[in-house]
Amino acid sequence: MSYLTITDLQKHYDHYHALRGINLAITEGEFLVFVGPSGCGKSTLLRTIAGLESSSAGSIILDGRDITELASSKRDLAMVFQSYALYPHMTVADNLSFALRLAKLPDTEIQEKIRFVSASLQLNPLLDRKPKELSGGQRQRVAIGRAIVRQPKVFLFDEPLSNLDAALRVQMRLELARLHKKLSTTMIYVTHDQVEAMTLADRVVILNAGQIEQVGTPLELYRQPNSRFVAEFIGTPKMNLITANKAMLEGDNLVIDLLGNRIHFPANRLKETLSTSTIVGMRPEHMSFVEQDGDISGTIELVEHLGPEAYAHIQLSNDQTIIVKASARSELKDGQKVNIKIDVAEVILFNENDRVISVIPEEA
C-alpha cells in the first residue's frame, strides 16, 4: 500500500512549467532516489514535497493525510540540504537537540534521542565541538543526525554529498545505506550522480524536463530502459548507439543491417512495426573482441586502463566512436584493427521517437 502518494503534481514559475503532472506512489520504508540532468525538476519536486515550494496543482498524501497545503513544519518531514546549515555558534550536541528543545520535549527524552543518534552516526567524540572544528563528512553526519532526532515519517535529502570529496562520498553512501537499514524509515534522495542512485536506491525515479521518464529498480532501468534517454543516462560508460542501415523481419528472425553487416536475432519477433530509422543500442560489456566473424569492425583510438578493467574506444567505418569493455590484461593498442562480436540477446532497439522497440521471444 502506498505511504506517500503524489497525484498529477504541477509546478509553474510564471511561464516556465517545472513539474508536468508527476504521479508517484512510494511505499513505507522505501529508499527512493530522484535522478536526472540539471534542470529536470528533481530538486523542485523534493522541495514541493517538503513544502518549501507550493504546488500549482495536484495533491500530496502522506500516510492517509493530505499535506498539499500544509506548512513545511506541519508535514512531519525532515530535510537534509546540500549545505549543512548547522548553527556555527552551537556545539554538535546543541545542534542535534535544537529542534527538540523548541518542541519543549523533556530533557530525559532529548538526551535519549541524542544518545541514539550519536551512536548510530559515530558522533559521540564530537558532541562538544563546534561546526568549524569538524570535517565536511563530520558536518554532514551532524546534519543527518539533526534530521533523525525528529523521527519524521519521511527523510528528504537534497544532494547531501555533493560537497564532499570522492572518498568521503563513498564512505557516506555506505553510512546512509546502513542507516536506512537500521531505521527502516522512508527516504527520498535527490542526486545528479547515477552511481549514488544505483547503489543506494530501492527504486530510482528518472526525471526529464519536469516529467517522470521511468521508475524502477536500478537493475530494471539498466537492463530494461523504456527510452533512449534512460538508456543513455544510466550506465558508465554510456550505451553505444548506432543507426541501422535497415531492419527487417525474415520469417521469425529479426535481421539488422549494421554498417553493411547483417546481424541476426534468431527466434524473436517484434511486438510492433519496425521504424524507418532503427537505432541499435549496445552496452560496452555486451560486446567483445574476436579474431574473425565479427559483427562490426573498426580501429582502436584509445584504450583506458582502469585497473580491474579496460575500455577501448573504437572508430567505426562511419567515423562514429563506440566503447567496448575489455579484459584488464588486454594488450590492445592504439591504431589496432579489431573485429567486434555483439551479444544479440542484450541489444536494445529504439525507434525514430527514441522509444524502445519491443521484442518478445517466439514462444511467448
Side-chain angles (χ1 to χ4, degrees), residues 49-90:
I49 294 170
L52 300 176
E53 300 277 358
S54 60
S55 59
S56 302
S59 65
I60 305 170
I61 308 297
L62 174 60
D63 196 17
R65 184 173 66 131
D66 190 336
I67 63 171
T68 313
E69 302 298 331
L70 289 181
S72 178
S73 60
K74 303 295 184 182
R75 295 192 179 201
D76 206 0
L77 309 170
M79 192 159 179
V80 178
F81 297 92
Q82 179 179 342
S83 61
Y84 314 121
L86 301 178
Y87 297 108
H89 62 288
M90 293 184 182

Side-chain angles (χ1 to χ4, degrees), residues 137-177:
Q138 290 169 337
R139 292 178 192 178
Q140 193 56 275
R141 290 211 306 272
V142 176
I144 292 169
R146 192 172 56 183
I148 292 172
V149 294
R150 294 173 53 192
Q151 296 182 312
K153 290 185 175 179
V154 180
F155 290 108
L156 306 175
F157 296 91
D158 190 7
E159 303 204 49
L161 309 185
S162 59
N163 287 336
L164 305 180
D165 62 36
L168 270 176
R169 283 202 301 272
V170 173
Q171 178 186 338
M172 285 302 299
R173 282 205 308 268
L174 180 60
E175 290 189 15
L176 280 171

Side-chain angles (χ1 to χ4, degrees), residues 15 20 23 52 71 96 107 110 130 158 160 193 197 233 236 240 243 259 278 287 351-352 357 361:
H15 299 296
R20 301 169 178 264
N23 292 284
L52 300 176
L96 292 174
D107 284 343
I110 290 174
K130 292 184 177 179
D158 190 7
D193 185 340
F233 190 83
T236 303
N240 299 299
T243 300
L259 303 178
T278 300
M287 311 171 78
N351 61 24
E352 66 269 20
I357 299 174

Side-chain angles (χ1 to χ4, degrees), residues 102-263:
L102 279 183
K104 298 183 178 179
L105 294 182
D107 284 343
T108 53
E109 185 176 346
I110 290 174
Q111 293 307 315
E112 182 180 342
K113 291 178 183 291
I114 298 302
R115 280 194 296 271
F116 171 77
V117 169
S118 299
S120 299
L121 294 172
Q122 295 86 50
L123 294 176
N124 283 326
L126 310 176
L127 290 176
D128 293 328
R129 297 187 191 180
K130 292 184 177 179
K132 66 180 180 181
E133 302 173 85
L134 306 177
S135 68
Q138 290 169 337
R139 292 178 192 178
Q140 193 56 275
R141 290 211 306 272
V142 176
I144 292 169
R146 192 172 56 183
I148 292 172
V149 294
R150 294 173 53 192
Q151 296 182 312
K153 290 185 175 179
V154 180
F155 290 108
L156 306 175
F157 296 91
D158 190 7
E159 303 204 49
L161 309 185
S162 59
N163 287 336
L164 305 180
D165 62 36
L168 270 176
R169 283 202 301 272
V170 173
Q171 178 186 338
M172 285 302 299
R173 282 205 308 268
L174 180 60
E175 290 189 15
L176 280 171
R178 288 172 174 164
L179 189 63
H180 179 248
K181 288 181 180 179
K182 186 169 187 175
L183 299 177
S184 298
T185 305
T186 307
M187 294 184 176
I188 304 175
Y189 188 102
V190 163
T191 182
H192 65 277
D193 185 340
Q194 61 163 286
V195 174
E196 286 182 15
M198 298 289 281
T199 54
L200 285 173
D202 295 320
R203 287 191 302 155
V204 177
V205 179
I206 298 184
L207 289 117
N208 181 24
Q211 297 177 301
I212 293 177
E213 192 80 22
Q214 189 172 351
V215 182
T217 67
L219 286 181
E220 284 172 348
L221 297 178
Y222 188 79
R223 294 172 178 169
Q224 301 166 10
N226 63 12
S227 69
R228 177 174 173 173
F229 176 87
V230 174
E232 288 191 283
F233 190 83
I234 296 294
T236 303
K238 294 200 302 185
M239 177 180 281
N240 299 299
L241 298 170
I242 305 175
T243 300
N245 297 336
K246 186 182 291 186
M248 68 208 85
L249 284 173
E250 293 184 359
D252 287 325
N253 293 338
L254 173 62
V255 181
I256 290 179
D257 183 338
L258 197 64
L259 303 178
N261 298 307
R262 285 166 57 88
I263 303 174

